[in-house]
Amino acid sequence: QVQLVQSGAEVKKPGASVKVSCKVFGYTFTRYGMHWVRQAPGQRLEWMGWINAGNGNTKYSQKFQDRVNITRDTPASTAYMELSSLRSEDTAVYYCARGTSARGFMDVWGQGTTVTVSS
Amino acid sequence: DIQMTQSPSSLSASVGDRVTITCRASQSISNFLNWYQQKPGTAPKLLIYAASSLQSGVPSRFSGSGSGTEFTLTITSLRPEDFATYYCQQSYSTLVTFGQGTNLEIK
């Protein structure tokens, strides 16, 4: 069964960094890419970036490109999203979602990771 | 960035009704348009990709149409489990963007 399992909730202080993991089950990790999408409370979905799990190439939203780093660990079948210089507006649920390309649909989603930024 | 605008933002309907949600793009996106359903506290679920292709396992009462800048999601014969928020997403640009969502509520 294809499944994406994300790491647990995080509470961070402003200025800190957070790293969220997304481990895949049920398919060959390197044959797909992985998107990262976030959703602030009551807000629309917001795309952050994408990684080609095969070669590690990435594409980022201009809004986040100075603060986000998406990586992967191929033997562990795990993708990571690290967001730095956190501020209160980064409080959101962060999702990983499988996608064959940066331009494409997202057919399998993780359960979401809540990140709370508070002093 | 390509802006995606959905209408209406909220919609009240009854079980058995037929509903249509519209998504407009700020520029032509061919058929690079996908639809998702999201229920409170859960991740989005892919319903329709490439404007009109039904994702595997999604009931046939869901359908999508459109090309260029205007797209629609239609749900025929609403069931209780269909009350949720629906998002469109353009994948024409590598800068992926979503609509603001349409909240479908029970009347």
Side-chain angles (χ1 to χ4, degrees), chain A residues 35 37 39 43-47 59-62 95 102-112, chain B residues 1 4 32 34 36 38 42-46 49 55 87 89 91-96 98-100:
Chain A
H35 295 271
V37 175
Q39 188 171 38
Q43 301 301 308
R44 74 175 71 188
L45 299 163
E46 185 173 33
W47 182 76
K59 288 193 181 294
Y60 297 123
S61 165
Q62 287 182 318
Y95 294 101
R103 297 174 58 194
F105 53 85
M106 304 168 200
D107 66 343
V108 184
W109 292 64
Q111 84 275 18
Chain B
D1 294 6
M4 306 301 293
F32 289 86
N34 312 302
Y36 300 85
Q38 187 179 34
T42 69
K45 171 187 174 184
L46 177 67
Y49 62 93
Q55 172 67 353
Y87 292 94
Q89 173 233 333
S91 51
Y92 179 82
S93 164
T94 52
L95 299 179
V96 169
F98 291 86
Q100 82 277 18

Side-chain angles (χ1 to χ4, degrees), chain B:
Chain B
D1 294 6
I2 299 175
Q3 308 302 316
M4 306 301 293
T5 305
Q6 292 180 229
S7 60
S9 294
S10 64
L11 175 61
S12 294
S14 301
V15 172
D17 284 353
R18 171 191 175 103
V19 298
T20 297
I21 299 168
T22 299
C23 178
R24 290 185 173 87
S26 59
Q27 66 182 74
S28 178
I29 58 171
S30 184
N31 70 334
F32 289 86
L33 191 285
N34 312 302
W35 290 98
Y36 300 85
Q37 175 194 68
Q38 187 179 34
K39 297 181 181 180
T42 69
K45 171 187 174 184
L46 177 67
L47 299 176
I48 302 284
Y49 62 93
S52 60
S53 295
L54 192 67
Q55 172 67 353
S56 176
V58 174
S60 59
R61 63 181 181 274
F62 292 91
S63 64
S65 65
S67 66
T69 62
E70 188 158 331
F71 302 86
T72 59
L73 172 70
T74 299
I75 313 171
T76 57
S77 191
L78 274 172
R79 295 177 61 88
E81 60 266 32
D82 299 336
F83 292 93
T85 300
Y86 293 84
Y87 292 94
C88 62
Q89 173 233 333
Q90 66 81 17
S91 51
Y92 179 82
S93 164
T94 52
L95 299 179
V96 169
T97 47
F98 291 86
Q100 82 277 18
T102 295
N103 184 25
L104 177 56
E105 300 175 318
I106 300 176
K107 185 182 289 185

Side-chain angles (χ1 to χ4, degrees), chain A residues 8-109:
Chain A
E10 303 264 13
V11 179
K12 296 292 184 180
K13 292 193 182 301
S17 296
V18 67
K19 191 171 186 177
V20 180
S21 68
C22 173
K23 184 173 176 61
V24 317
F25 298 89
Y27 72 92
T28 302
F29 179 64
T30 53
R31 290 186 179 175
Y32 293 83
M34 194 70 74
H35 295 271
W36 288 88
V37 175
R38 79 176 188 180
Q39 188 171 38
Q43 301 301 308
R44 74 175 71 188
L45 299 163
E46 185 173 33
W47 182 76
M48 301 180 71
W50 175 86
I51 186 167
N52 180 325
N55 61 21
N57 287 348
T58 54
K59 288 193 181 294
Y60 297 123
S61 165
Q62 287 182 318
K63 176 177 178 177
F64 299 104
Q65 64 182 12
D66 293 338
R67 297 196 294 137
V68 71
N69 189 32
I70 298 174
T71 57
R72 96 282 193 220
D73 180 341
T74 302
S77 297
T78 301
Y80 300 91
M81 187 284 299
E82 184 170 23
L83 188 63
S84 61
S85 302
L86 290 169
R87 33 205 188 236
S88 59
E89 309 90 88
D90 294 318
T91 293
V93 178
Y94 290 77
Y95 294 101
C96 59
R98 190 177 78 168
T100 53
S101 73
R103 297 174 58 194
F105 53 85
M106 304 168 200
D107 66 343
V108 184
W109 292 64

